[in-house]
Amino acid sequence: MIAMTEHHLPDYLGAKGGHLTLDGHDLVDLAQEHGSPLFVFSERRLAANASSFLKAARQGHKRARVFFASKACSNLHVLKVIRAQGLGIEVNSGGELWKALAVGFVPNEIVFNGVAKMVPELEQAIGHGIQAINVDSAFELSRIAEVATRLGKIATVALRVVPGIGGGATAGIQTGSERSKFGMGQEELQAALAIARNFPKALDVAGMHLHIGSQVLDMPDFLESVSFTARQAREIAASLGKPLKHLNLGGGYPIDYAHRRKGANNNDGFDLSAFAADHPAANMVGAVAAAAARELGNEAEIFFEPGRSMVADAALLLTRIESQRKRGTMPWLYLDAGYNLLMDSAAVRWYYHMVNAGRMDAPAETPFRVVGPLCDSADCFFDVEGEYLWQALEARLSGLAGVTPEILGEIRTQTVRLPETRRLPAATAPGDLIALLDTGAYSLEEMFQYCGRQRAKAVMIMQDDSVVTLRERDRPEDLLDPAERALLI
Ligand SMILES: *Cc1c(COP(=O)(O)O)cnc(C)c1O
């Protein structure tokens, strides 16, 4: 049994006069001022997430270091807040490396991941002498050896290994098994070690790396990755004839997207304060780091790479209801934000909780079908693909020998990944403002202009209560590439 210290965070969401507030700011007013759709970040929450994660990791292991996975949100304002809390940064491309350096991270605060790193990116990383390039394949390691030799430098690398652990909320975000595209299995690892031994003047294998997935809810998955690392690091060290200097356990720490009251197990259990009280990611990493101290000792540094758990709940998306209709008795609502702003809602059927930001006093009891504005049937905040597939499956499965209602129920849960309806106040109507909660991770990074839609504006409520613009809403001319602008008349 692992003793967990509870990490508490300040409240940030609230309600006042029927309006949703973030750090005390009235969000209905804010949307009035800045327009919709609008991402709103909380600097307080962002800073608290970063500092409590770092603190918990250090309490568990005195040589723990935390590198923010910048693909979760690489807006420079966000990176600046994260850096001020003492975190390093994890980058996934030359572009992210460039942004990291631009905002002031120094090379030994940067680790670089990626499955297909290009020669110019490797030149950039090796040239700057970053903390570690996490090597995804034996092929890549020989490419790194070539580049380092040509530059007359030593590349500091860590070997990314497949631990065979299937953490992560959906198949698309599981990264720890050989069915995913990431990292080296045992055979490939041996090939990589041979390359490392052949190029001692170009390659310094300083560490090993793994990352099992995103939104990993199960502690045993994380603890298994610690035990795996203990075994694997010993083997690598033996093969190289020297100990590893750091062991990178990756990210994947979860947040509570459902915001349910303790004990409640359906939509009705939503409670603004249910999650503000504690920080599951910090509690988990504290226990993982403590396990690392026991199983891996204190000689090597322990790295963590959280992304989602740093930024997801530090922002919400305000979106206006633009239209409605009824199909039979079911009311439908049409928002001004769709998967153009939240790609994961379509790509991996991600659940974002919705509240009516202007009717916080009314009970959220009426079911609505909620959809986005795009000219695409898939632009729904329910799982339209899953519902169609389920209809076809159910017709074929029910009545078959051995297919019990329990099995049917299980297949349905696996097939239809989002609730059919959202519960909102009965009076919810066009003109109302909906808040999609926990939309700070993998959102700004994944916005696009499909259907001629402008990418959203984003602001941050600062600790001093000023409101800073993180990015402007696209202007109409931003819909054109410079090569198209020549055609403007
Ligand atoms: C995406 C990624 C992370 C961050 O994952 P989260 O689930 O956002 O914490 C960390 N490490 C690597 C290698 C990644 O690809």
Side-chain angles (χ1 to χ4, degrees), residues 125-183:
I126 296 167
H128 283 288
I130 63 169
Q131 173 68 45
I133 301 172
N134 292 334
V135 182
D136 210 81
S137 65
F139 175 83
E140 183 178 286
L141 190 59
S142 49
R143 181 176 272 190
I144 292 171
E146 252 168 57
V147 173
T149 304
R150 180 157 50 74
L151 298 181
K153 300 229 173 192
I154 293 195
T156 309
V157 301
L159 304 176
R160 177 163 184 170
V161 187
V162 177
I165 299 168
T170 75
I173 58 175
Q174 294 191 356
T175 54
S177 82
E178 287 202 42
R179 280 159 62 190
S180 88
K181 64 180 196 175
F182 299 95

Side-chain angles (χ1 to χ4, degrees), residues 10 23 25 41-49 51 81-82 84-85 460-468:
D23 290 339
H25 288 242
F41 283 70
S42 157
E43 186 194 18
R44 273 190 201 92
R45 181 67 178 198
L46 185 58
N49 283 347
S51 67
V81 175
I82 297 265
Q85 296 306 316
M460 176 145 54
I461 299 171
M462 307 304 284
Q463 315 225 30
D464 67 5
D465 277 325
S466 62
V467 177
V468 161

Side-chain angles (χ1 to χ4, degrees), residues 69 71 90 113 160 209 211 213-214 251-253 305-308 442:
K71 75 176 186 288
E90 182 267 350
N113 279 296
R160 177 163 184 170
H209 172 249
H211 170 67
S214 200
Y253 291 85
E305 302 172 326
R308 182 186 303 283
Y442 305 105

